[in-house]
Amino acid sequence: MANSKYAAFIAAAEEGNMTAAAQKLGYTQSGVSHLVHTLEQELGVQLLIRSKAGVELSPEGNALIGHILSLIHISEPTR
């Protein structure tokens, strides 16, 4: 489940839009929003700044995105 939260955050940051992130991951927009919000609550920081134009990384999100990408990479099964 943690990987889903990380993937939702990364996709939203990359796409700049929750709807586009949802389409990329095969989730609903509300599902992606919920996953990112839950991750933000767990970490105790705002990762994304939301606006009508989309989303962008907050300073905290910018500081953490590299670490989260590393966690996803580490947890991927080797082939």
Side-chain angles (χ1 to χ4, degrees):
M1 182 65 164
N3 278 351
S4 297
K5 294 174 197 170
Y6 298 149
F9 165 61
I10 297 299
E14 289 176 347
E15 298 295 325
N17 182 291
M18 293 291 196
T19 302
Q23 290 173 344
K24 181 178 183 177
L25 297 173
Y27 295 153
T28 63
Q29 180 273 327
S30 62
V32 169
S33 294
H34 177 75
L35 288 168
V36 173
H37 180 73
T38 301
L39 180 60
E40 290 175 323
Q41 286 184 317
E42 289 174 6
L43 297 175
V45 297
Q46 182 180 5
L47 298 170
L48 298 172
I49 299 169
R50 294 149 176 89
S51 72
K52 290 183 181 183
V55 298
E56 62 182 273
L57 287 171
S58 69
E60 295 85 358
N62 194 49
L64 290 172
I65 195 165
H67 299 290
I68 292 173
L69 284 166
S70 294
L71 287 172
I72 290 173
H73 180 71
I74 290 169
S75 67
E76 289 178 350
T78 56
R79 294 175 191 219

